[in-house]
Amino acid sequence: MPRFKTATPKYRKHRASGQAVVTLNGQDVYLGPHGSRASRREYDRLIAEWLANGRRRPLPVIELTVIELISHYWAYVRLRHVRNGRPMDEQANIKAALKPLLNLYKEKLASTIWPLALRTVQRGMIGDGLARRTINERIGRIKRMFKWAAAEELLPVEVYQSLATVEGLRRGQSAAKETSPIGPVELGDPVGHVHR
């Protein structure tokens, strides 16, 4: 009976080095000393990732700069936020949200954008005179980009998880201006207009 090429790759001993090895998609991956618990755990982890990734070896995390990350994300945004072939307003909202991050951290590695950096962006938005609600919405859009990047395995998930801890600005607890609440609209006397 023919063997399927999709069978689970075997845990083997590499005789020359004494290391445990597994071959994933034609590439040998060394796991540590053959027979050790650590090598067995590493084998189990790699096989689980390989199966979850459709029997392909997951790509290593790439060290992207902020500008490179935004470029990748923008390609996704242009496909995601379109209606009837036209860009939706959310594209402009995302672009406005990402601009201060780009201005401050363009050449920095995206994996180094942690809460302090995000709070720096937040303070910059306050300094630009944006309203508290607008700032919170824009910071939320930045976080969503990092969440997307983690799901796409472009960044370690820990980066997004750390940024998720940055709370939104609360009413009366920051220097951000407040928007005026929208009150009821005065309709006047519609009958009076008809008879004039």
Side-chain angles (χ1 to χ4, degrees):
M1 192 170 180
R3 293 184 64 180
F4 293 105
K5 289 186 178 179
T6 55
T8 303
K10 300 286 185 207
Y11 174 96
R12 310 184 322 273
K13 183 175 184 178
H14 184 255
R15 289 203 172 105
S17 67
Q19 294 277 313
V21 66
V22 62
T23 304
L24 299 175
N25 304 110
Q27 184 176 2
D28 286 343
V29 181
Y30 294 93
L31 310 168
H34 184 266
S36 67
R37 281 188 194 168
S39 70
R40 292 280 184 189
R41 279 196 304 270
E42 183 65 5
Y43 169 78
D44 290 344
R45 183 187 68 78
L46 285 171
I47 292 300
E49 289 180 352
W50 181 77
L51 290 169
N53 199 42
R55 296 179 181 269
R56 291 170 307 184
R57 187 163 181 213
L59 295 173
V61 171
I62 305 163
E63 286 289 0
L64 296 173
T65 61
V66 167
I67 192 169
E68 290 168 334
L69 173 60
I70 289 174
S71 177
H72 284 288
Y73 186 58
W74 192 249
Y76 162 78
V77 166
R78 290 179 62 203
L79 293 173
R80 172 77 173 80
H81 297 288
V82 174
R83 184 179 290 133
N84 299 325
R86 297 175 60 88
M88 294 166 62
D89 291 344
E90 184 61 7
Q91 285 195 24
N93 293 335
I94 292 169
K95 185 179 279 190
L98 298 179
K99 186 175 180 183
L101 177 71
L102 186 64
N103 289 342
L104 286 170
Y105 297 107
K106 178 175 18 183
E107 300 301 331
K108 295 282 283 182
L109 290 177
S111 59
T112 66
I113 303 300
W114 286 70
L116 179 61
L118 190 57
R119 285 196 299 270
T120 300
V121 171
Q122 193 179 54
R123 282 193 293 275
M125 291 179 181
I126 293 171
D128 289 341
L130 296 177
R132 180 183 61 86
R133 183 175 171 186
T134 300
I135 293 169
N136 286 344
E137 288 171 350
R138 290 186 178 183
I139 293 296
R141 288 183 174 99
I142 293 171
K143 289 179 185 178
R144 281 194 288 281
M145 177 180 72
F146 281 89
K147 182 178 182 179
W148 171 86
E152 294 294 314
E153 295 190 12
L154 296 174
L155 287 177
V157 71
E158 293 82 10
V159 178
Y160 165 68
Q161 289 170 338
S162 74
L163 296 179
T165 66
V166 176
E167 294 185 356
L169 301 174
R170 296 184 182 183
R171 181 180 289 276
Q173 295 183 3
S174 75
K177 68 181 184 182
E178 293 291 341
T179 51
S180 301
I182 299 172
V185 176
E186 290 188 25
L187 296 176
D189 179 9
V191 178
H193 289 290
V194 172
H195 294 296
R196 282 184 191 170

